[in-house]
mmCIF file of all heavy atoms in Angstrom:
data_model
loop_
_atom_site.group_PDB
_atom_site.id
_atom_site.type_symbol
_atom_site.label_atom_id
_atom_site.label_comp_id
_atom_site.label_asym_id
_atom_site.label_seq_id
_atom_site.Cartn_x
_atom_site.Cartn_y
_atom_site.Cartn_z
ATOM 1 N N GLU A 73 5.774 13.998 -2.269
ATOM 2 C CA GLU A 73 6.923 14.760 -2.725
ATOM 3 C C GLU A 73 6.828 16.206 -2.231
ATOM 4 O O GLU A 73 7.791 16.745 -1.678
ATOM 5 C CB GLU A 73 7.019 14.721 -4.263
ATOM 6 C CG GLU A 73 8.298 15.310 -4.756
ATOM 7 C CD GLU A 73 8.619 14.866 -6.156
ATOM 8 O OE1 GLU A 73 7.743 14.321 -6.857
ATOM 9 O OE2 GLU A 73 9.781 15.072 -6.560
ATOM 10 N N LYS A 74 5.684 16.809 -2.402
ATOM 11 C CA LYS A 74 5.490 18.190 -1.975
ATOM 12 C C LYS A 74 5.606 18.334 -0.447
ATOM 13 O O LYS A 74 6.351 19.165 0.052
ATOM 14 C CB LYS A 74 4.115 18.670 -2.444
ATOM 15 C CG LYS A 74 3.817 20.096 -2.110
ATOM 16 C CD LYS A 74 2.468 20.525 -2.641
ATOM 17 C CE LYS A 74 2.147 21.948 -2.256
ATOM 18 N NZ LYS A 74 0.780 22.297 -2.630
ATOM 19 N N ILE A 75 4.895 17.509 0.272
ATOM 20 C CA ILE A 75 4.865 17.625 1.724
ATOM 21 C C ILE A 75 6.211 17.251 2.378
ATOM 22 O O ILE A 75 6.744 17.990 3.176
ATOM 23 C CB ILE A 75 3.740 16.756 2.298
ATOM 24 C CG1 ILE A 75 2.369 17.327 1.913
ATOM 25 C CG2 ILE A 75 3.831 16.636 3.820
ATOM 26 C CD1 ILE A 75 1.216 16.384 2.161
ATOM 27 N N LEU A 76 6.749 16.090 1.991
ATOM 28 C CA LEU A 76 7.949 15.588 2.622
ATOM 29 C C LEU A 76 9.167 16.497 2.348
ATOM 30 O O LEU A 76 9.942 16.773 3.261
ATOM 31 C CB LEU A 76 8.253 14.150 2.176
ATOM 32 C CG LEU A 76 7.166 13.151 2.543
ATOM 33 C CD1 LEU A 76 7.559 11.766 2.071
ATOM 34 C CD2 LEU A 76 6.869 13.150 4.029
ATOM 35 N N ASN A 77 9.289 16.951 1.139
ATOM 36 C CA ASN A 77 10.402 17.871 0.833
ATOM 37 C C ASN A 77 10.202 19.196 1.525
ATOM 38 O O ASN A 77 11.139 19.871 1.906
ATOM 39 C CB ASN A 77 10.617 18.010 -0.660
ATOM 40 C CG ASN A 77 11.319 16.784 -1.244
ATOM 41 O OD1 ASN A 77 12.300 16.331 -0.717
ATOM 42 N ND2 ASN A 77 10.775 16.259 -2.306
ATOM 43 N N GLY A 78 8.956 19.615 1.691
ATOM 44 C CA GLY A 78 8.659 20.873 2.383
ATOM 45 C C GLY A 78 9.052 20.860 3.841
ATOM 46 O O GLY A 78 9.446 21.861 4.414
ATOM 47 N N TYR A 79 8.945 19.679 4.479
ATOM 48 C CA TYR A 79 9.323 19.577 5.887
ATOM 49 C C TYR A 79 10.802 19.252 6.088
ATOM 50 O O TYR A 79 11.322 19.384 7.190
ATOM 51 C CB TYR A 79 8.521 18.460 6.553
ATOM 52 C CG TYR A 79 7.107 18.851 6.924
ATOM 53 C CD1 TYR A 79 6.030 18.217 6.347
ATOM 54 C CD2 TYR A 79 6.850 19.856 7.848
ATOM 55 C CE1 TYR A 79 4.706 18.554 6.671
ATOM 56 C CE2 TYR A 79 5.574 20.215 8.172
ATOM 57 C CZ TYR A 79 4.503 19.549 7.593
ATOM 58 O OH TYR A 79 3.204 19.902 7.936
ATOM 59 N N ASN A 80 11.500 18.827 5.042
ATOM 60 C CA ASN A 80 12.931 18.475 5.174
ATOM 61 C C ASN A 80 13.706 19.728 5.558
ATOM 62 O O ASN A 80 13.624 20.753 4.882
ATOM 63 C CB ASN A 80 13.472 17.868 3.883
ATOM 64 C CG ASN A 80 14.751 17.126 4.119
ATOM 65 O OD1 ASN A 80 15.132 16.794 5.261
ATOM 66 N ND2 ASN A 80 15.485 16.852 3.041
ATOM 67 N N GLY A 81 14.426 19.632 6.658
ATOM 68 C CA GLY A 81 15.159 20.771 7.189
ATOM 69 C C GLY A 81 14.434 21.469 8.319
ATOM 70 O O GLY A 81 14.994 22.245 9.049
ATOM 71 N N ARG A 82 13.138 21.158 8.477
ATOM 72 C CA ARG A 82 12.360 21.745 9.569
ATOM 73 C C ARG A 82 11.945 20.672 10.588
ATOM 74 O O ARG A 82 12.237 20.785 11.764
ATOM 75 C CB ARG A 82 11.094 22.423 9.052
ATOM 76 C CG ARG A 82 11.391 23.643 8.193
ATOM 77 C CD ARG A 82 10.168 24.377 7.792
ATOM 78 N NE ARG A 82 9.143 23.485 7.240
ATOM 79 C CZ ARG A 82 7.886 23.802 7.130
ATOM 80 N NH1 ARG A 82 7.451 24.991 7.480
ATOM 81 N NH2 ARG A 82 7.023 22.944 6.613
ATOM 82 N N GLU A 83 11.300 19.637 10.121
ATOM 83 C CA GLU A 83 10.841 18.541 11.004
ATOM 84 C C GLU A 83 11.833 17.396 11.106
ATOM 85 O O GLU A 83 11.822 16.637 12.034
ATOM 86 C CB GLU A 83 9.511 17.961 10.501
ATOM 87 C CG GLU A 83 8.355 18.927 10.532
ATOM 88 C CD GLU A 83 7.839 19.143 11.950
ATOM 89 O OE1 GLU A 83 7.853 18.199 12.764
ATOM 90 O OE2 GLU A 83 7.458 20.295 12.236
ATOM 91 N N TYR A 84 12.694 17.307 10.114
ATOM 92 C CA TYR A 84 13.737 16.274 10.012
ATOM 93 C C TYR A 84 14.763 16.755 9.011
ATOM 94 O O TYR A 84 14.551 17.752 8.320
ATOM 95 C CB TYR A 84 13.147 14.907 9.570
ATOM 96 C CG TYR A 84 12.104 15.040 8.485
ATOM 97 C CD1 TYR A 84 12.458 15.290 7.165
ATOM 98 C CD2 TYR A 84 10.738 14.944 8.801
ATOM 99 C CE1 TYR A 84 11.486 15.432 6.183
ATOM 100 C CE2 TYR A 84 9.770 15.073 7.810
ATOM 101 C CZ TYR A 84 10.154 15.321 6.526
ATOM 102 O OH TYR A 84 9.207 15.470 5.533
ATOM 103 N N LYS A 85 15.900 16.026 8.976
ATOM 104 C CA LYS A 85 16.962 16.468 8.042
ATOM 105 C C LYS A 85 17.539 15.247 7.354
ATOM 106 O O LYS A 85 18.189 14.404 7.960
ATOM 107 C CB LYS A 85 18.072 17.190 8.851
ATOM 108 C CG LYS A 85 19.264 17.602 8.022
ATOM 109 C CD LYS A 85 18.926 18.721 7.086
ATOM 110 C CE LYS A 85 20.191 19.204 6.357
ATOM 111 N NZ LYS A 85 19.983 19.504 4.988
ATOM 112 N N PHE A 86 17.276 15.121 6.048
ATOM 113 C CA PHE A 86 17.843 14.069 5.228
ATOM 114 C C PHE A 86 18.773 14.724 4.204
ATOM 115 O O PHE A 86 18.481 15.787 3.695
ATOM 116 C CB PHE A 86 16.741 13.290 4.463
ATOM 117 C CG PHE A 86 15.869 12.454 5.373
ATOM 118 C CD1 PHE A 86 14.675 12.948 5.829
ATOM 119 C CD2 PHE A 86 16.309 11.203 5.784
ATOM 120 C CE1 PHE A 86 13.881 12.168 6.678
ATOM 121 C CE2 PHE A 86 15.514 10.431 6.634
ATOM 122 C CZ PHE A 86 14.305 10.934 7.080
ATOM 123 N N GLU A 87 19.862 14.026 3.933
ATOM 124 C CA GLU A 87 20.763 14.489 2.869
ATOM 125 C C GLU A 87 20.063 14.351 1.528
ATOM 126 O O GLU A 87 20.165 15.251 0.687
ATOM 127 C CB GLU A 87 22.064 13.673 2.882
ATOM 128 C CG GLU A 87 22.907 13.959 4.105
ATOM 129 C CD GLU A 87 24.084 13.029 4.237
ATOM 130 O OE1 GLU A 87 24.592 12.522 3.211
ATOM 131 O OE2 GLU A 87 24.539 12.822 5.393
ATOM 132 N N THR A 88 19.408 13.214 1.296
ATOM 133 C CA THR A 88 18.575 13.060 0.108
ATOM 134 C C THR A 88 17.222 12.474 0.536
ATOM 135 O O THR A 88 17.160 11.593 1.417
ATOM 136 C CB THR A 88 19.223 12.098 -0.922
ATOM 137 O OG1 THR A 88 19.428 10.816 -0.343
ATOM 138 C CG2 THR A 88 20.529 12.656 -1.420
ATOM 139 N N LEU A 89 16.203 12.979 -0.057
ATOM 140 C CA LEU A 89 14.859 12.509 0.190
ATOM 141 C C LEU A 89 14.126 12.474 -1.146
ATOM 142 O O LEU A 89 13.879 13.492 -1.766
ATOM 143 C CB LEU A 89 14.103 13.457 1.155
ATOM 144 C CG LEU A 89 12.648 13.185 1.443
ATOM 145 C CD1 LEU A 89 12.468 11.749 1.993
ATOM 146 C CD2 LEU A 89 12.115 14.188 2.447
ATOM 147 N N LYS A 90 13.893 11.252 -1.627
ATOM 148 C CA LYS A 90 13.278 11.067 -2.953
ATOM 149 C C LYS A 90 11.973 10.359 -2.814
ATOM 150 O O LYS A 90 11.768 9.551 -1.908
ATOM 151 C CB LYS A 90 14.208 10.251 -3.863
ATOM 152 C CG LYS A 90 15.530 10.907 -4.134
ATOM 153 C CD LYS A 90 16.416 10.017 -5.002
ATOM 154 C CE LYS A 90 17.768 10.684 -5.201
ATOM 155 N NZ LYS A 90 18.683 9.833 -5.901
#
Side-chain angles (χ1 to χ4, degrees):
E73 190 161 15
K74 181 179 178 186
I75 292 167
L76 299 180
N77 283 313
Y79 282 118
N80 198 15
R82 294 185 312 162
E83 295 287 324
Y84 41 76
K85 177 71 175 139
F86 291 97
E87 292 172 27
T88 59
L89 176 56
K90 297 178 183 175

